[in-house]
Amino acid sequence: MGYATLVENFTEQMVSKWSDGVVMTTEAQLEAQFADTIEAKDRIEPRDWMPEAYRKTLIRQVAQHAHSEIIGMQPEGNWITRAPSLRRKAILLAKVQDEAGHGLYLYSAAETLGASRNELTEKLIAGKQKYSSIFNYPTLSYTDVGTIGWLVDGAAICNQVPLCRTSFGPYGRAMIRVCKEESFHQRQGFELLMTMMRGTDEQREMVQESVNRFWWPALMMFGPPDDDSPNTAQSMEWGIKTHTNDELRQKFVDMSIPQAEALGVTFPDENLKWNEERGHYDFSTPDWDEFWSVVKGNGPCNDQRIAHRKRAWDEGAWVREAALAFAEQSAEAAAPAQTGSAPGQTGSSPATTTEETAK
Ligand code: 3HC
């Protein structure tokens, strides 16, 4: 659709009634327009009118998601220099770099809502914004790289595929690219663990020990139970979320059991069993006290993760300053030169004069 048609459609949509020749679009009409778009499962774009509360909760969730991607680089980054082969190192490097890219897509989506990367990062470092609890657990062995790929990225896929259809355009489109890369992340993790399961007894024990450590924190990634989730109902109404926390957690459990059987590992939950009547696996209740304690900053690695992020942010300040200075300089150089010639006369720009002088 050409730009002119877009503008025409936009104007038609917004024109509600004329009074004294001035286009009047009342708040009620705007709200109706927004509600119709959500109802039609269409996209809200950055230039569209949106309720302030919609914008705020989107910034909250997209920022948390972006922070999670960036902080999530730390646990696995811990093993890049100690990967057991060049092949494993190359795979891990690629994956960690992908996470950085995911963070950038998401910070860019947040910027379309008026929240700058600088502002969001400062809020993260000040503890005013969250990131996923899962990244506050340590990676104690290289096996954890495989477990994170299989379970953590697997959980992320369960949570992110529905987000491809979220009502806010830039967020949903970012998710499409992210999910394509996440499927590589999950496969490389599963393949790493399968290789170890075909190795020695000691390697098999390392895999089972790693899975035991990450299973419950992976279930907690989906957020608190629905009846303890203050944001879910509204986010579902606005089409930001299309499934509840418990629905996605159940989907992840159902998906993971057959994979664990193929791998030859078990999960640390004696209540895990197929419930024919429900058509799902039953599982025990995660330790929500642990979850909230980690969310509130008391996890094994919270301080380390934020300190590392702050150090990188501080050490990178000069790069941001240099990039901004260069951008300003380039903008000045590109600005039309102020010539001394009278209006209508074609004067040469100082740059040309300089060049001519320089010749
Ligand atoms: N870690 C930290 N905080 C969490 C959390 C978690 N796992 N789950 C919930 N919370 C927080 C919420 O942010 C909210 O706090 P806030 O109001 O101050 O933001 C509070 O707990 C209540 O939770 P709600 O369920 O009401 O919050 P939401 O409706 O936002 O649902 C969510 C939580 C399901 C995580 C949702 O925000 C979401 O889908 N976020 C985007 C996806 C995401 O962040 N994925 C995980 C990280 S990305 C990743 O895994 C990278 C991969 O490549 C490895």
Side-chain angles (χ1 to χ4, degrees):
M1 184 187 294
Y3 181 72
T5 321
L6 260 179
V7 172
E8 194 188 309
N9 292 353
F10 181 75
T11 313
E12 268 165 32
Q13 281 165 13
M14 284 325 197
V15 171
S16 60
K17 62 174 187 280
W18 289 82
S19 147
D20 304 330
V22 174
V23 172
M24 298 287 287
T25 309
T26 64
E27 182 94 359
Q29 252 102 25
L30 290 168
E31 277 174 4
Q33 172 93 23
F34 172 82
D36 290 349
T37 306
I38 299 293
E39 181 69 27
K41 295 197 185 323
D42 205 341
R43 298 281 207 197
I44 300 292
E45 297 298 340
R47 68 181 179 287
D48 294 341
W49 180 90
M50 60 185 82
E52 194 45 35
Y54 176 84
R55 182 191 305 276
K56 273 178 72 179
T57 205
L58 266 175
I59 290 173
R60 175 189 65 79
Q61 177 165 329
V62 175
Q64 164 168 324
H65 202 158
H67 297 330
S68 302
E69 301 282 1
I70 300 300
I71 297 278
M73 294 164 72
Q74 292 185 37
E76 290 176 294
N78 175 33
W79 285 94
I80 288 176
T81 55
R82 295 177 285 170
S85 70
L86 183 59
R87 172 173 175 268
R88 291 294 176 194
K89 182 191 283 245
I91 294 172
L92 183 52
L93 261 177
K95 186 209 193 270
V96 172
Q97 281 171 338
D98 277 354
E99 309 298 8
H102 296 176
L104 297 185
Y105 305 152
L106 290 160
Y107 283 127
S108 302
E111 280 169 354
T112 68
L113 290 159
S116 78
R117 200 167 309 185
N118 285 13
E119 170 202 345
L120 296 180
T121 305
E122 299 291 355
K123 281 185 175 169
L124 167 71
I125 291 169
K128 293 183 183 140
Q129 280 186 340
K130 296 180 170 73
Y131 58 93
S132 189
S133 48
I134 186 72
F135 298 122
N136 288 309
Y137 291 84
T139 44
L140 302 176
S141 88
Y142 174 74
T143 316
D144 293 348
V145 170
T147 308
I148 287 174
W150 172 41
L151 291 181
V152 175
D153 288 75
I157 289 171
C158 276
N159 165 284
Q160 292 171 157
V161 165
L163 285 172
C164 294
R165 295 184 300 281
T166 190
S167 56
F168 184 59
Y171 192 21
R173 289 188 289 270
M175 282 298 105
I176 292 167
R177 173 73 185 267
V178 165
C179 287
K180 285 186 167 61
E181 292 171 347
E182 290 296 354
S183 54
F184 149 67
H185 297 174
Q186 196 210 21
R187 282 175 175 75
Q188 63 81 33
F190 190 80
E191 187 266 342
L192 188 160
L193 296 180
M194 186 59 92
T195 305
M196 292 185 73
M197 291 305 284
R198 289 175 179 154
T200 63
D201 287 346
E202 193 191 1
Q203 285 174 317
R204 279 188 283 277
E205 280 159 29
M206 287 174 78
V207 174
Q208 185 61 63
E209 188 276 333
S210 174
V211 168
N212 290 343
R213 269 187 293 116
F214 274 93
W215 175 244
W216 291 111
L219 293 193
M220 295 174 193
M221 278 176 73
F222 293 93
D226 293 347
D227 51 14
D228 196 21
S229 165
N231 297 296
T232 289
Q234 183 61 70
S235 290
M236 295 281 284
E237 208 177 295
W238 278 332
I240 295 172
K241 277 176 152 179
T242 53
H243 295 72
T244 70
N245 299 355
D246 287 334
E247 284 169 355
L248 293 179
R249 193 177 356 260
Q250 179 68 67
K251 184 178 167 67
F252 174 66
V253 170
D254 292 347
M255 169 185 112
S256 300
I257 311 270
Q259 292 173 1
E261 286 163 358
L263 204 51
V265 295
T266 56
F267 292 126
D269 179 1
E270 69 278 357
N271 293 322
L272 259 186
K273 67 171 89 52
W274 179 253
N275 181 322
E276 195 52 45
E277 202 182 309
R278 282 195 330 120
H280 294 290
Y281 283 92
D282 290 338
F283 57 99
S284 303
T285 304
D287 179 349
W288 293 118
D289 292 338
E290 175 187 330
F291 167 76
W292 288 116
S293 171
V294 173
V295 170
K296 289 187 174 97
N298 308 311
C301 298
N302 295 57
D303 296 344
Q304 172 193 342
R305 300 290 186 238
I306 292 297
H308 184 105
R309 185 74 193 90
K310 179 172 185 333
R311 191 166 55 251
W313 183 249
D314 294 344
E315 288 170 1
W318 70 272
V319 177
R320 296 193 296 278
E321 284 152 22
L324 283 173
F326 179 71
E328 279 155 18
Q329 220 177 38
S330 309
E332 276 160 26
Q338 306 305 323
T339 57
S341 51
Q345 275 187 351
T346 49
S348 59
S349 73
T352 318
T353 310
T354 313
E355 277 153 17
E356 274 159 5
T357 314
K359 275 184 193 137

